[in-house]
C-alpha cells in the first residue's frame, strides 16, 4: 500500500546539512498497524511528513497505491493527501471552531454540501464517543477528547491510511490506552491502515503488528513486533524494550541477561529448574509481561553469577530449553 | 436642546461640535476602511510569502517588505507633503477632508499590513500543518484556517489601527480640513479659546475610548480559546 524506497531528507539549516532521514526503505501493507519507534530527534516526524509530502524528500520515493507521489502535480498531491489523514501530538484543532465544525473542515474543502458534511461529522463524533460534546470548542475539551475530535476529523474523508505522529504523547497513561484502543478499532473495523510514530514501546506493543526502529534517521531494525520483542538485535531496540526501572539500570554493569518468552512457556519452573540443574544462583532484576496481538509475552532480567563456568552451564541450559536470551 | 447646549458652549457652537464629530468619525472610519482594503491583502502577502510560510517567495516578500518599511519610516507630515501631487491626480484636490483621507490611507495601509502580518503569524503552525495534511489548497488555508484562527487578534489590531488613525486626524488643520482635532488645534492655537480646545479634545478622547472598548470587547467575546467557567468541571475524560 505504501512503499518507501530509499527515502532521504536532508535539511539545509544555517549552511550546514542535517540528515534527518537517511536511506529509509519500508513497505506498509494494507491493514497494518505499523509502528515507527525511536528516541527524540531520530527523524520520526520528518519521516512521517515525507510520507504525505508535507516535507519533500531530497532522495528516494514514496509510492502510495502504486503512485509515486513525487511525480504528481501539486493539485494531484492534494487529492492523494485526502486519502492519507494525519493526527498529531498537539491535536492541532481549529480553536475557533466547535468539535462538529472541526470534523466538517476536511469535507468543506472538498466541497461536500453543508448538511451532508454535518451529518457525517455527527456520525464520526459518535464513533469516537463524543456525541455529547459536538458543540464544544477545543478549549473546553480535555486532551483525550481533543484527540478524539482530531481522529474523527481525520476519518472524515474516508482515508485509507492514518498517520499518527506521537498521537498519545501528550496524554496520561489511561487516556493513552483508550485512544490506542480506539485506533485499533478503526484499524480492524474500518480497515484503515495506520502508521504510528512514537517513542514509547508500550504504544507499539498495544496496537502495532509491525515495527521499525529508527535511529539517527536510519532504520536499524524492522519486522513483526513479537519477533523484535523476542529477540531484539539493535542496541536501541533493546533499550526501548527493557522494563523501565531505575534499579535495573544501576546494576546493568554487572552480568545481566534478558530472557524473553511467549505465553506458551511457563517461566517459573524454568528459573527454578535452572537453579537446581546448573547449581547456580541467579538474581531476578525485573520482569514484565505484555499482550502483543492477543498473545502474552514476557521478559525477565537475570543477574548471573561471576563464576564463568556457572554462566556457561546456564547458557547451555537455556539453549537446551530453546529459550531466547541475550546479554544486556 | 440645542439652545441648552448653545447657552453652555456659545452661540452656534453645538452645531459646530456635532459637525466636527461627524467629520472626524467619517474621516477615521473611511480611512481605516480604505487602509484595510490595501493593507489586508498586503499583510497576507507579507505573511504568506515569508520563508517557511504557506507560499514562500523571497523576491515578492522582500519587495513588499521594502515598500512597507519605507512608507512606515516617513513621518506623516512629510508623507503628506510628498504625496500632494498624487492626491491631486487621484482625489482631484490637495486639500480638504477627502485629500486628507488619501494621505491617511497612504500612511496607514503599510502600518495595517504589518499588523495583519503579525496577527496571522500568531496562528499555530501545527493547525496549518493539519490543514495541509488534509489536502487544503493555499487559498483555503488563508481563508478557512489562518484568518478565522487569527480573528480575535485581527480585531484587536483593528482597534489599534482605528485609534492610531484617529490620533492623526488633528493634522487636517494643515490642509484646511475639518473635525474635532482640527477644531481643537484651531481654537487652542490660533483663537486662544482654551474652553473649546478642551471640550473638543475631551470629545476626541471619548471617541477613541468608545472605538477601542467596542472593538476589544468584540475581540474578546469572539475568541473561542477562552474556556468559560461553566465548562471546567466537564474536563474529565469520557471513555468509549
Ligand atoms: N525544518 C527543519 N530544518 C532543519 N532541521 C530540521 C527540521 N525539521 C527537523 N529537523 C532536524 O531533523 C532531525 C529529526 O527531527 P524530527 O524528525 O522532528 O525528529 P523526531 O520526530 O524523531 O523527534 C532533528 O535533528 C531536527 O533538528
Ligand atoms: Mg517528532
Amino acid at each position: 500500500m505504501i512503499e518507501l524506497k530509499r527515502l532521504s531528507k536532508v535539511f539545509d539549516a544555517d549552511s550546514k546539512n542535517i540528515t534527518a532521514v537517511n536511506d529509509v526503505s519500508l513497505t506498509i501493507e494494507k491493514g497494518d498497524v505499523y509502528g515507527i519507534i525511536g528516541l527524540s530527534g531520530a527523524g520520526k516526524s520528518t519521516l512521517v511528513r515525507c510520507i504525505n509530502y508535507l516535507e519533500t524528500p531530497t532522495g528516494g520515493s514514496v509510492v502510495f497505491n502504486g503512485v509515486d507521489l513525487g511525480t504528481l502535480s501539486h493539485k494531484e498531491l492534494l487529492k492523494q493527501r485526502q486519502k492519507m489523514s494525519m493526527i498529531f501530538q498537539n491535536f492541532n484543532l481549529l480553536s475557533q471552531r466547535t468539535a462538529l465544525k472541526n470534523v466538517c473542515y476536511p469535507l468543506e474543502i472538498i466541497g461536500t454540501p453543508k448538511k451532508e458534511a454535518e451529518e457525517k461529522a455527527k456520525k464520526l463524533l459518535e464513533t469516537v464517543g463524543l456525541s455529547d460534546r459536538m458543540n464544544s470548542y477545543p478549549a473546553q475539551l480535555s486532551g483525550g477528547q481533543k484527540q478524539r475530535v482530531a481522529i474523527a476529523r481525520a476519518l472524515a474523508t474516508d482515508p485509507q491510511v492514518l498517520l499518527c505522529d506521537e498521537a498519545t504523547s501528550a496524554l496520561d497513561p489511561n487516556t493513552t490506552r483508550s485512544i490506542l484502543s480506539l485506533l485499533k478499532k478503526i484499524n480492524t473495523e474500518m480497515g484503515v491502515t495506520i502508521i504510528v510514530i512514537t517513542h514509547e514501546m508500550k504504544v507499539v506493543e498495544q496496537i502495532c503488528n509491525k515495527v521499525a526502529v529508527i535511529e539517527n534517521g536510519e532504520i536499524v531494525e524492522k519486522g513483526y513486533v513479537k519477533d523484535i520483542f523476542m529477540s531484539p538485535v539493535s542496541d536501541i531496540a533493546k533499550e526501548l524494550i527493557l522494563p523501565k526501572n531505575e534499579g535495573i539500570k544501576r546494576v546493568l554493569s554487572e552480568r545481566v541477561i534478558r530472557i524473553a518468552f511467549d505465553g506458551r512457556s511457563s517461566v517459573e519452573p524454568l528459573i527454578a529448574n535452572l537453579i537446581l540443574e546448573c547449581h547456580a544462583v541467579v538474581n531476578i532484576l525485573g520482569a514484565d509481561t505484555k499482550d502483543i496481538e492477543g498473545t502474552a509475552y514476557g521478559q525477565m532480567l537475570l543477574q548471573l553469577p561471576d563464576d564463568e563456568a556457572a554462566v556457561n552451564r546456564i547458557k547451555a541450559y537455556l539453549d537446551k530449553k530453546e529459550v531466547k536470551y541475550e546479554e544486556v | 436642546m440645542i439652545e441648552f447646549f448653545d447657552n453652555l458652549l456659545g452661540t452656534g457652537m453645538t452645531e459646530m461640535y456635532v459637525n466636527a464629530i461627524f467629520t472626524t468619525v467619517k474621516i477615521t472610519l473611511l480611512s481605516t476602511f480604505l487602509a484595510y482594503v490595501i493593507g489586508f491583502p498586503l499583510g497576507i502577502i507579507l505573511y504568506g510569502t515569508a520563508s517557511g510560510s504557506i507560499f514562500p517567495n523571497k523576491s515578492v516578500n522582500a519587495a513588499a517588505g521594502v515598500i512597507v518599511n519605507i512608507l512606515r519610516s516617513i513621518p506623516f507630515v512629510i508623507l503628506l507633503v510628498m504625496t500632494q501631487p498624487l492626491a491631486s491626480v487621484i482625489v482631484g484636490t490637495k486639500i480638504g477632508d477627502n485629500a486628507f483621507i488619501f494621505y491617511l490611507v497612504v500612511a496607514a495601509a503599510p502600518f495595517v499590513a504589518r499588523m495583519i502580518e503579525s496577527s496571522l503569524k500568531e496562528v499555530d503552525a501545527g493547525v496549518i500543518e493539519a490543514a495541509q495534511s488534509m489536502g487544503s489548497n493555499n487559498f483555503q488555508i488563508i481563508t478557512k484556517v489562518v484568518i478565522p484562527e487569527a480573528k480575535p487578534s485581527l480585531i484587536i489590531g483593528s482597534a489599534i489601527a482605528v485609534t492610531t488613525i484617529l490620533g492623526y486626524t488633528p493634522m487636517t488643520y494643515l490642509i484646511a480640513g475639518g473635525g474635532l482635532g482640527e477644531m481643537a488645534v484651531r481654537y487652542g492655537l490660533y483663537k486662544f479659546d482654551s474652553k473649546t480646545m478642551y471640550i473638543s479634545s475631551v470629545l476626541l478622547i471619548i471617541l477613541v475610548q468608545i472605538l477601542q472598548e467596542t472593538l476589544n470587547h468584540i475581540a474578546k467575546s469572539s475568541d473561542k480559546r477562552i474556556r468559560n467557567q461553566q465548562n471546567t468541571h466537564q474536563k474529565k475524560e469520557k471513555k468509549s
Side-chain angles (χ1 to χ4, degrees):
Chain A
M1 169 160 260
I2 296 177
E3 217 177 323
L4 310 182
K5 291 181 184 165
R6 313 207 58 174
L7 201 67
S8 295
K9 175 72 189 185
V10 181
F11 286 111
D12 184 16
D14 307 327
S15 75
K16 81 174 159 83
N17 289 340
I18 298 169
T19 308
V21 174
N22 191 6
D23 201 15
V24 167
S25 296
L26 278 183
T27 304
I28 291 125
E29 277 164 271
K30 190 168 168 24
D32 274 348
V33 181
Y34 207 117
I36 296 174
I37 188 170
L39 303 176
S40 175
K44 307 180 294 294
S45 292
T46 307
L47 177 61
V48 77
R49 288 162 52 84
C50 282
I51 296 179
N52 61 5
Y53 261 66
L54 279 180
E55 206 79 77
T56 311
T58 47
S61 58
V62 178
V63 181
F64 178 47
N65 287 332
V67 181
D68 181 346
L69 296 186
T71 64
L72 299 179
S73 70
H74 187 66
K75 225 174 159 179
E76 290 169 318
L77 180 64
L78 295 184
K79 274 247 155 64
Q80 290 297 325
R81 281 196 192 143
Q82 284 154 14
K83 301 180 195 162
M84 221 186 315
S85 293
M86 193 166 181
I87 58 172
F88 307 84
Q89 177 170 2
N90 298 321
F91 325 120
N92 295 347
L93 296 175
L94 294 156
S95 64
Q96 306 292 339
R97 285 185 177 224
T98 61
L100 185 71
K101 287 290 175 189
N102 262 284
V103 183
C104 285
Y105 178 81
L107 296 167
E108 244 172 78
I109 62 169
I110 57 170
T112 311
K114 196 175 158 201
K115 226 179 135 200
E116 202 179 307
E118 286 192 359
E119 252 155 55
K120 184 158 192 192
K122 276 181 194 160
K123 248 183 232 140
L124 284 164
L125 283 169
E126 268 165 39
T127 307
V128 300
L130 277 183
S131 40
D132 56 333
R133 301 307 303 270
M134 295 200 194
N135 297 317
S136 299
Y137 287 92
Q140 301 166 329
L141 300 173
S142 71
Q145 289 170 331
K146 280 186 228 181
Q147 197 61 287
R148 283 167 191 273
V149 176
I151 290 169
R153 182 175 70 171
L155 295 174
T157 48
D158 299 314
Q160 300 166 11
V161 181
L162 183 59
L163 307 171
C164 311
D165 189 1
E166 304 268 13
T168 57
S169 301
L171 305 174
D172 63 68
N174 282 336
T175 314
T176 293
R177 260 194 298 280
S178 71
I179 292 289
L180 290 177
S181 47
L182 174 63
L183 290 175
K184 188 78 200 175
K185 188 175 121 189
I186 287 162
N187 170 253
T188 50
E189 289 176 15
M190 304 169 88
V192 178
T193 304
I194 299 181
I195 297 177
V196 177
I197 304 290
T198 183
H199 64 274
E200 293 173 301
M201 196 61 194
K202 66 174 198 286
V203 170
V204 171
E205 284 157 3
Q206 195 184 329
I207 60 167
C208 299
N209 62 330
K210 293 176 192 160
V211 65
V213 183
I214 184 169
E215 188 179 20
N216 297 326
E218 293 178 40
I219 302 291
V220 291
E221 200 168 346
K222 63 186 171 192
Y224 286 97
V225 176
K226 47 183 183 286
D227 293 342
I228 288 179
F229 180 78
M230 289 301 276
S231 43
V233 179
S234 61
D235 288 341
I236 184 82
K238 286 176 192 168
E239 191 184 323
L240 288 163
I241 286 169
L242 281 183
K244 296 274 172 293
N245 186 322
E246 270 304 299
I248 292 168
K249 285 208 180 99
R250 237 176 291 125
V251 294
L252 272 188
S253 51
E254 296 175 47
R255 211 142 179 199
V256 175
I257 60 168
R258 169 186 182 269
I259 63 174
F261 48 90
D262 63 27
R264 288 179 298 255
S265 52
S266 161
V267 66
E268 271 167 87
L270 178 90
I271 301 299
N273 291 342
L274 180 148
I275 292 167
L276 290 175
E277 236 177 77
C278 304
H279 306 290
V281 179
V282 294
N283 186 15
I284 299 174
L285 294 175
D288 59 10
T289 58
K290 13 208 109 193
D291 181 347
I292 301 172
E293 290 188 89
T295 309
Y297 288 84
Q299 60 178 337
M300 192 175 272
L301 283 179
L302 299 180
Q303 185 180 1
L304 302 185
D306 287 334
D307 177 3
E308 195 61 36
V311 168
N312 286 337
R313 282 201 303 279
I314 290 169
K315 285 184 173 177
Y317 175 79
L318 290 172
D319 285 337
K320 194 177 81 191
K321 294 279 177 191
E322 291 179 352
V323 172
K324 293 213 162 83
Y325 66 90
E326 74 264 337
E327 297 212 23
V328 292
Chain B
M1 178 89 157
I2 290 178
E3 254 171 64
F4 169 76
F5 279 110
D6 263 359
N7 285 340
L8 213 66
L9 302 168
T11 319
M13 289 305 272
T14 312
E15 198 189 338
M16 245 180 114
Y17 279 115
V18 171
N19 285 341
I21 291 172
F22 270 115
T23 306
T24 299
V25 169
K26 183 190 85 179
I27 290 176
T28 305
L29 294 186
L30 215 54
S31 318
T32 308
F33 174 75
L34 292 173
Y36 267 80
V37 168
I38 299 166
F40 207 105
L42 196 55
I44 291 172
I45 289 170
L46 283 170
Y47 164 77
T49 57
S51 81
S53 188
I54 298 162
F55 33 90
N57 187 321
K58 253 198 191 124
S59 38
V60 172
N61 190 263
V66 166
I67 294 170
V68 164
N69 288 347
I70 288 176
L71 284 176
R72 282 195 61 191
S73 55
I74 303 173
F76 179 64
V77 178
I78 297 168
L79 193 71
L80 188 154
V81 176
M82 276 169 58
T83 52
Q84 278 193 334
L86 207 57
S88 298
V89 175
I90 294 175
V91 192
T93 171
K94 293 192 274 190
I95 57 165
D97 291 343
N98 289 345
F100 190 65
I101 290 173
F102 171 81
Y103 303 128
L104 277 178
V105 171
V106 173
F111 170 73
V112 167
R114 279 290 182 218
M115 272 202 324
I116 301 281
E117 181 197 15
S118 82
S119 289
L120 301 185
K121 268 188 183 164
E122 288 167 24
V123 175
D124 182 6
V127 177
I128 296 167
E129 188 183 358
Q132 286 172 328
S133 79
M134 291 181 261
S136 316
N137 61 36
N138 291 340
F139 182 75
Q140 290 165 331
I141 289 186
I142 293 289
T143 56
K144 286 178 170 290
V145 178
V146 176
I147 293 174
E149 284 292 293
K151 197 170 95 188
S153 165
L154 288 170
I155 297 172
I156 288 172
S158 76
I160 298 171
V162 79
T163 50
T164 306
I165 287 171
L166 192 56
Y168 277 103
T169 55
M171 298 285 201
T172 45
Y173 86 89
L174 287 173
I175 54 160
L180 279 177
E182 183 269 345
M183 209 170 148
V185 175
R186 186 156 40 90
Y187 279 82
L189 220 52
Y190 302 115
K191 292 193 174 177
F192 306 106
D193 173 358
S194 51
K195 181 179 152 199
T196 309
M197 188 265 282
Y198 280 119
I199 293 175
S200 40
S201 301
V202 166
L203 288 172
L204 204 56
I205 293 167
I206 292 173
L207 219 50
V208 170
Q209 291 304 319
I210 291 173
L211 284 169
Q212 192 165 296
E213 287 309 309
T214 311
L215 287 166
N216 283 347
H217 177 76
I218 294 173
K220 225 181 198 166
S221 59
S222 78
D223 193 351
K224 309 302 182 198
R225 286 170 299 184
I226 299 159
R227 190 191 263 264
N228 58 37
Q229 279 178 325
Q230 183 205 325
N231 288 293
T232 41
H233 68 275
Q234 292 171 330
K235 255 191 88 177
K236 243 192 241 159
E237 170 70 346
K238 195 177 162 296
K239 304 258 160 51
S240 68

